[in-house]
Amino acid sequence: MGHAFASAWSPDGKTWRQTQSGKKGAEGQMEYQLPPGSASASGRVLVAWGPPYSPAKAEEWVRQTGSEHRMAEEMELCRSREGRRVPMLRISEGDRVPERRFGVWVHARQHAWESGSSWVCQGFVEWVMSADVGAAWLRQNAEIYVVPVMDVDNAATGNGGKDALPQDHNRDWSEKPNWNEVAAAQKILKGLAAEGRLDVFLDLHNPAPGDLKAFFYAPALELLQPEAKAFKRIS
């Protein structure tokens, strides 16, 4: 039996709310009910499987974060194959030189339709910028790169991106990547690795509909340094 999930709706494309769980109708259709007065003054209401996160939203958020926080630098990872900007943040606080900082890389949306991962990415940065003791320690001791949308072209045009031709973004990590975003990310990551400080690589994805628990992939034990092995728990 399939799971009945809620949908997202918005009168203005800015404030999003969730419906109650949908009801399966005839011929596999799903029915969702919206509360009275859901539409805007013009009679418009937007509906999506989840709150969208467009490349324009990513660019606006990166720009705003960079302007509001001295420790956050607005950057451009690259231009996509279709000429779109790929916004990126670089976060570090204090006088510690980069060579003495942990290297942390976080990106989302290698598959364009997995918009939830961009929201998680933004939430991570909001925590990093917070007064939390752990967040303060991280930004003072690490150099953090954040890319909220990797596959900007498919995200902009509304394509899924999964199994895209000639190469899925998520499978493009090779000696000769097809996508500009992957090639640009590899350049920075290889630089961190050469300096011996590629410490965290976090690739955010959406779970599948049947994945009701979070899961993580971690390197094999033989690839970890002794300090990292001490933190890895085998279940």
Side-chain angles (χ1 to χ4, degrees), residues 101-178:
R101 291 177 179 269
F102 298 106
V104 177
W105 179 275
V106 182
H107 70 216
R109 297 287 281 289
Q110 289 209 86
H111 293 140
W113 61 6
E114 297 176 359
S115 57
S117 61
S118 290
W119 289 107
V120 172
C121 188
Q122 178 172 326
F124 167 76
V125 171
E126 290 172 356
W127 171 78
V128 168
M129 299 299 185
S130 74
D132 182 88
V133 174
W137 183 93
L138 183 62
R139 63 180 183 257
Q140 291 163 9
N141 289 275
E143 183 179 27
I144 309 166
Y145 292 90
V146 180
V147 184
V149 179
M150 283 285 281
D151 187 1
V152 296
D153 287 340
N154 278 315
T157 55
N159 296 314
K162 188 75 176 269
D163 295 329
L165 297 175
Q167 183 87 303
D168 186 310
H169 260 73
N170 199 43
R171 297 168 180 80
D172 197 37
W173 294 74
S174 63
E175 291 299 320
K176 295 182 179 180
N178 177 73

Side-chain angles (χ1 to χ4, degrees), residues 14-37:
K14 298 179 180 179
T15 301
W16 289 85
R17 301 177 178 88
Q18 282 192 315
T19 68
Q20 297 296 319
S21 296
K23 295 182 180 180
K24 192 172 183 179
E27 299 180 0
Q29 298 176 341
M30 294 294 294
E31 298 177 359
Y32 297 94
Q33 292 187 353
L34 301 180

Side-chain angles (χ1 to χ4, degrees), residues 168-201:
D168 186 310
H169 260 73
N170 199 43
R171 297 168 180 80
D172 197 37
W173 294 74
S174 63
E175 291 299 320
K176 295 182 179 180
N178 177 73
W179 304 110
N180 296 351
E181 299 91 330
V182 175
Q186 283 183 338
K187 183 176 180 180
I188 296 174
L189 291 164
K190 287 179 178 179
L192 292 173
E195 296 170 0
R197 59 190 191 95
L198 178 53
D199 299 289
V200 177
F201 176 90

Side-chain angles (χ1 to χ4, degrees), residues 2-3 24 26 62 75 83 85 108 112 132 147 154 156 164 189 206 229:
H3 299 281
K24 192 172 183 179
V62 166
M75 302 181 70
R85 292 187 72 245
D132 182 88
V147 184
N154 278 315
L189 291 164
N206 269 43
K229 288 182 181 179

Side-chain angles (χ1 to χ4, degrees), residues 71-89:
M71 77 246 346
E73 179 185 1
E74 176 192 359
M75 302 181 70
E76 180 181 294
L77 174 63
C78 66
R79 293 279 174 154
S80 71
R81 290 179 70 90
E82 294 181 10
R84 296 182 175 89
R85 292 187 72 245
V86 183
M88 177 174 70
L89 282 171

Side-chain angles (χ1 to χ4, degrees), residues 203-217:
D203 179 17
L204 296 170
H205 287 260
N206 269 43
D211 295 332
L212 303 182
K213 294 183 179 180
F215 60 91
F216 307 88
Y217 293 103

